[in-house]
């Protein structure tokens, strides 16, 4: 009997996804249902007002990627902000809500792609679990409580946010019940009228009117003209197989470069210190390339096509010093996100990531819909000479990047995580621990990790090691020139990672991160 699997950083999303798979739903069906659910139970990490990216692989077929990220509004340009006396894009509020939310378009596009291979379950079935949770209420998780406490100063004066997410003007507390009945009604509407209503129906009209009244540059025409796109994934070959990730405007290229460089310098007799040092140095090389090149696809430099060639990667690998850390050369990229994976009875497998950017995004809630809008447009610059300068209909830089690998032994591996700069680093950690070092997938994820760069509530850009790892290699990494700091083990700042790997004989491993509220679930079905 075939085995189906689902993993997510919140157990209720995993349960919903697995239930769809048990009913014979496809991996895409399960992912849409779980994406709606996790937007309800993890509103600090993602929302229907955010963006997403997909990688879908059907056995024996070409790997498919979907870009469901929104572009800047037609009115959103540098002059629009300068005329309001602003030299930078505000981090919260209506003027931070400047890009179209793309994720609903991604759900729609994925179902269209999937219809060629599967009989999709009705949208009403997929959205009903999320609808019920939003209506009846969710139990606030510790992760949601911590995010509420960290952001209350930023968000308490946004009345539409406070009315939903700051009851009685206080931060959310773990265990209390949080309802969002307008969001439940929105989900019911989309189930009845179709996902396209979000962009070209009465829902779009309500969104545009509310955003305009609040002071956002987004107009109805921006919603009308948006469509998620099937795009060509990036890929690179290493000795273990072929790696896939999403192209610009995401940092998928950085995730691929790290592993491609590590494969070039790797020695099987390395100890843990040597493995981590080389991964860190590969990361620095990859982030320098990311920060120089990644932008809207229409703006990519001519050299973009060379970045994953053997010649270019060999040159980058030559820059890695086994005995000395390179100074950290790049700014940090923040972001909170959810990654989820699904495997269905026919062997289709999905790597999916959905985000609102900063915790709770812009903080702007469209009250009549219970819809929290993203602030991804913060990745734009108001400097006209910057390669990510703000301009209408262009997409900002995205930290989001779902990963997939086709291994030489026939195994297929979807994996990913949240956490801005941490996404490529954690992808590299769990991939190398599992594929190179032979650790079980769950252990590869759970074991203490590191984060090079800044995280929420912190101004330092140093190398953060979880306590148990710091005890083993912290002093030695410092001696190599790394600026080391220690944080507690099992720390949420390290991200919520997960993965599913399936072998040709049907055997599989699936795992979620103990740093999250997640679950990795499997079941055999007739």
């Amino acid at each position: 009997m075939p085995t189906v699997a689902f993993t997510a950083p919140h157990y209720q999303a995993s349960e919903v996804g697995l239930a769809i798979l048990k009913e014979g739903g496809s991996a895409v069906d399960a992912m849409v249902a779980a994406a709606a659910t996790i937007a309800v139970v993890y509103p600090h990490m993602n929302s229907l007002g955010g963006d997403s990216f997909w990688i879908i692989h059907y056995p024996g077929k070409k790997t498919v990627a979907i870009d469901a990220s929104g572009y800047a509004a037609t009115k959103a340009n540098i002059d629009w902000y300068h005329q309001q006396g602003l030299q930078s894009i505000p981090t919260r509020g209506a003027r931070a809500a400047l890009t179209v939310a793309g994720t609903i378009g991604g759900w729609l596009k994925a179902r269209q792609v999937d219809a060629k291979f599967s009989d999709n379950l009705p949208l009403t079935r997929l959205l009903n679990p999320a609808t019920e949770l939003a209506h009846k209420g969710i139990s606030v998780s510790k992760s949601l409580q911590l995010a509420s406490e960290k952001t209350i100063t930023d968000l308490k004066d946004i009345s539409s946010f406070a009315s939903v997410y700051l009851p009685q003007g206080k931060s959310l507390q773990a265990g209390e019940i949080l309802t969002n009945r307008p969001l439940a009604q929105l989900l019911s509407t989309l189930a009845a009228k179709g996902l396209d209503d979000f962009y070209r129906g009465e829902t779009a009209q309500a969104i545009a009117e509310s955003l305009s009244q609040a002071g956002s540059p987004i107009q109805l025409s921006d919603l009308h003209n948006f469509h998620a796109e099937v795009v060509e994934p990036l890929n690179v070959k290493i000795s273990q197989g072929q790696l896939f990730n999403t192209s610009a405007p995401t940092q998928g290229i950085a995730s691929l470069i790290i592993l491609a460089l590590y494969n070039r310098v790797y020695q099987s007799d390395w100890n843990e210190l040597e493995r981590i040092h080389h991964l860190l140095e590969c990361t620095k090389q990859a982030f320098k390339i990311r920060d120089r090149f990644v932008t809207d696809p229409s703006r990519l430099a001519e050299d973009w096509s060379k970045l994953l060639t053997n010649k270019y990667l060999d040159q980058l690998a030559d820059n890695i010093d086994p005995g000395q850390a390179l100074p950290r050369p790049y700014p940090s990229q923040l972001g909170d996100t959810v990654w989820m994976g699904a495997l269905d009875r026919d062997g289709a497998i999905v790597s999916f990531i959905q985000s609102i950017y900063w915790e709770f995004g812009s903080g702007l809630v469209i009250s009549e819909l219970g819809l929290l809008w993203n602030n991804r447009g913060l990745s734009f610059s108001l400097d006209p000479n910057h390669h990510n300068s703000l301009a209408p209909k262009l997409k900002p830089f995205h930290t989001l990047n779902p990963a997939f690998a086709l291994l030489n032994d026939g195994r297929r591996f979807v994996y990913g995580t949240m956490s801005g700069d941490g996404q490529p680093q954690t992808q590299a950690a769990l991939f190398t621990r599992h594929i190179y070092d032979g650790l079980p997938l769950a252990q590869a994820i759970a074991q203490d990790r590191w984060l090079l760069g800044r995280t929420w509530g912190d101004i330092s850009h140093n190398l953060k090691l979880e306590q148990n790892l710091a005890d083993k290699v912290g002093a030695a990494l410092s001696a190599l020139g790394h600026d080391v700091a220690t944080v507690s083990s099992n720390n949420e700042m390290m991200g919520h990672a997960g993965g599913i790997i399936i072998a040709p004989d049907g055997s599989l491993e699936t795992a979620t991160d103990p740093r999250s509220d997640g679950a990795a679930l499997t079941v055999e079905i007739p």
Side-chain angles (χ1 to χ4, degrees):
M1 292 189 294
T3 300
V4 296
F6 203 97
T7 181
H10 194 286
Y11 71 94
Q12 287 178 296
S14 294
E15 289 171 351
V16 166
L18 192 73
I20 296 296
L21 294 170
K22 287 169 67 176
E23 290 176 25
S26 69
V28 166
D29 280 339
M31 194 57 72
V32 170
T37 299
I38 205 161
V40 176
V41 298
Y42 253 24
H44 55 310
M45 297 284 186
N46 72 129
S47 166
L48 275 65
D51 300 301
S52 61
F53 293 86
W54 298 67
I55 290 184
I56 309 169
H57 186 263
Y58 300 93
K61 305 294 183 182
K62 187 177 180 181
T63 303
V64 175
I66 296 173
D67 177 345
S69 64
Y71 47 59
T74 304
K75 285 173 58 179
N77 58 45
I78 293 172
D79 287 343
W80 190 82
Y81 284 91
H82 284 173
Q83 288 166 7
Q84 299 177 62
L86 297 169
Q87 298 306 309
S88 61
I89 297 168
T91 58
R92 306 289 193 176
R95 291 175 296 185
L98 67 133
T99 58
V100 172
T103 196
I104 300 295
W107 302 359
L108 176 60
K109 182 62 69 175
R111 280 170 61 82
Q112 291 170 347
V113 169
D114 197 48
K116 301 174 184 176
F117 304 96
S118 309
D119 293 326
N120 292 138
L121 294 181
L123 196 57
T124 50
R125 171 64 187 93
L126 304 186
L127 300 188
N128 184 63
T131 303
E132 289 192 359
L133 283 166
H135 182 81
K136 296 179 180 178
I138 65 166
S139 177
V140 172
S141 65
K142 187 65 174 179
S143 176
L144 179 50
Q145 175 188 323
L146 292 174
S148 182
E149 290 171 347
K150 283 191 287 184
T151 59
I152 188 170
T153 301
D154 274 358
L155 299 173
K156 62 183 174 61
D157 294 329
I158 302 176
S159 59
S160 64
F161 179 86
S163 65
V164 179
Y165 294 110
L166 296 174
Q168 290 81 51
K170 299 178 180 179
S171 60
L172 297 169
Q173 296 300 304
E176 68 184 12
I177 302 302
L178 175 68
T179 62
N180 189 342
R181 289 178 179 169
L183 181 58
Q185 183 56 54
L186 170 59
L187 287 161
S188 294
T189 298
L190 294 176
K193 295 185 177 181
L195 298 172
D196 200 56
D197 196 68
F198 191 93
Y199 301 100
R200 284 162 283 277
E202 292 180 4
T203 299
Q205 186 73 43
I207 291 171
E209 288 178 2
S210 182
L211 288 175
S212 177
Q213 289 171 7
S216 165
I218 296 172
Q219 305 172 92
L220 185 59
S221 60
D222 297 315
L223 297 168
H224 279 177
N225 293 326
F226 177 79
H227 297 273
E229 301 174 282
V230 174
V231 294
E232 191 72 23
L234 295 176
N235 72 89
V236 67
K237 289 185 177 179
I238 62 172
S239 59
Q240 287 79 9
Q242 191 168 18
L243 310 179
F244 295 83
N245 213 305
T246 45
S247 186
T250 82
Q251 65 174 337
I253 194 163
S255 295
L256 294 181
I257 288 175
I258 293 170
L259 290 173
L261 295 183
Y262 187 76
N263 190 70
R264 281 165 165 74
V265 300
Y266 173 75
Q267 296 179 27
S268 60
D269 61 349
W270 278 346
N271 58 30
E272 187 169 25
L273 168 66
E274 291 166 315
R275 287 178 167 88
I276 293 173
H277 170 72
H278 282 86
L279 281 170
L280 288 166
E281 296 309 294
C282 292
T283 298
K284 294 172 186 176
Q285 295 297 319
F287 281 5
K288 285 198 296 182
I289 298 302
R290 177 198 70 182
D291 294 344
R292 177 182 171 190
F293 285 99
V294 177
T295 183
D296 181 90
S298 69
R299 284 175 160 175
L300 291 173
E302 184 178 343
D303 286 347
W304 177 260
S305 61
K306 304 176 184 177
L307 299 181
L308 292 176
T309 61
N310 286 329
K311 180 179 179 181
Y312 194 86
L313 292 169
D314 288 344
Q315 291 172 351
L316 290 180
D318 287 342
N319 296 330
I320 294 170
D321 187 338
Q324 180 63 45
L326 186 73
R328 189 178 179 281
Y330 50 85
S332 291
Q333 302 292 339
L334 303 177
D336 271 330
T337 303
V338 294
W339 178 89
M340 300 188 289
L343 171 72
D344 68 25
R345 63 185 302 162
D346 297 321
I349 196 165
V350 171
S351 184
F352 172 81
I353 196 162
Q354 183 168 265
S355 178
I356 196 168
Y357 197 30
W358 286 22
E359 288 167 319
F360 298 111
S362 68
L364 180 64
V365 176
I366 299 173
S367 297
E368 60 267 38
L369 303 175
L371 179 63
L372 183 60
W373 209 260
N374 72 86
N375 64 343
R376 183 62 65 172
L378 291 182
S379 293
F380 283 119
S381 171
L382 297 187
D383 177 357
N385 297 315
H386 194 281
H387 69 292
N388 274 309
S389 60
L390 175 62
K393 295 297 181 72
L394 295 185
K395 297 187 175 188
F397 169 80
H398 275 265
T399 51
L400 310 183
N401 66 115
F404 171 60
L406 281 173
L407 301 175
N408 292 336
D409 59 11
R411 287 180 296 167
R412 296 179 298 140
F413 187 14
V414 291
Y415 57 100
T417 184
M418 63 163 244
S419 189
D421 265 354
Q423 288 186 39
Q425 299 180 62
T426 295
Q427 285 186 22
L430 71 89
F431 184 92
T432 57
R433 286 172 171 176
H434 184 55
I435 302 302
Y436 288 78
D437 304 342
L439 294 182
L441 182 58
Q443 184 181 347
I445 291 171
Q447 196 166 287
D448 274 29
R449 296 200 296 263
W450 62 90
L451 173 66
L452 179 63
R454 186 165 66 94
T455 188
W456 292 105
D458 187 11
I459 60 171
S460 64
H461 295 269
N462 51 17
L463 171 61
K464 298 165 184 67
L465 304 178
E466 290 187 291
Q467 182 69 60
N468 294 332
L469 185 60
D471 291 345
K472 290 192 288 183
V473 300
L477 285 169
S478 293
L480 290 171
H482 296 282
D483 180 14
V484 173
T486 301
V487 299
S488 60
S489 292
N490 203 39
N491 199 305
E492 190 179 36
M493 75 164 61
M494 297 293 159
H496 296 165
I500 301 172
I501 186 164
I502 181 168
D505 64 2
S507 60
L508 63 86
E509 289 183 69
T510 184
T512 193
D513 203 317
R515 300 164 182 84
S516 73
D517 300 289
L521 306 176
T522 63
V523 67
E524 290 185 344
I525 59 174

